[in-house]
Amino acid sequence: MSAARALKSVDYEVFGYVQGVCFRMYAESEAKKIGVVGWVKNTGKGTVIGQVQGPEEKVNSMKSWLSRVGSPSSRIDRTNFSNEKAISKLEYTNFSIRY
């Protein structure tokens, strides 16, 4: 496997005004457009958490979206990324909204 095709996994938590603004739906749509897999979910404390997996450059694109773009009416204060690591294969077949 070449370095360019290296797969990466990262967990995220998005803080700000990110619930009740279709954030998860837009995240799912963006992930499918970019070509990453994983999941997104609202938390009880008003944040959105999830995991993204895919080729490094695509994961980086999704990280940028999660940090700076979000859904049209959301307001992202900050996004924390954790557990970033290389993986040998994808653990998910698609990107889904969890409840």
Side-chain angles (χ1 to χ4, degrees):
M1 186 185 268
S2 72
R5 299 298 305 146
L7 295 174
K8 177 161 123 166
S9 172
V10 66
D11 297 340
Y12 61 87
E13 183 168 14
V14 187
F15 297 81
Y17 182 60
V18 293
Q19 288 193 7
V21 289
C22 299
F23 193 94
R24 293 169 302 165
M25 186 182 80
Y26 277 91
E28 179 185 39
S29 165
E30 187 67 19
K32 288 181 171 158
K33 195 163 73 188
I34 291 172
V36 291
V37 299
W39 55 273
V40 61
K41 175 183 180 11
N42 280 346
T43 68
K45 59 181 183 180
T47 62
V48 171
I49 60 168
Q51 189 177 64
V52 179
Q53 294 184 350
E56 186 162 14
E57 65 281 4
K58 291 184 177 182
V59 169
N60 289 342
S61 298
M62 190 66 191
K63 282 173 71 176
S64 175
W65 187 90
L66 289 163
S67 307
R68 301 186 184 89
V69 185
S71 65
S73 40
S74 67
R75 186 198 73 242
I76 298 168
D77 291 340
R78 74 177 197 276
T79 304
N80 290 351
F81 295 101
S82 58
N83 301 323
E84 194 161 325
K85 59 184 187 281
I87 53 173
S88 56
K89 64 179 185 30
L90 299 175
E91 295 163 45
Y92 308 99
T93 51
N94 61 6
F95 193 93
S96 61
I97 296 173
R98 291 187 178 176
Y99 298 97

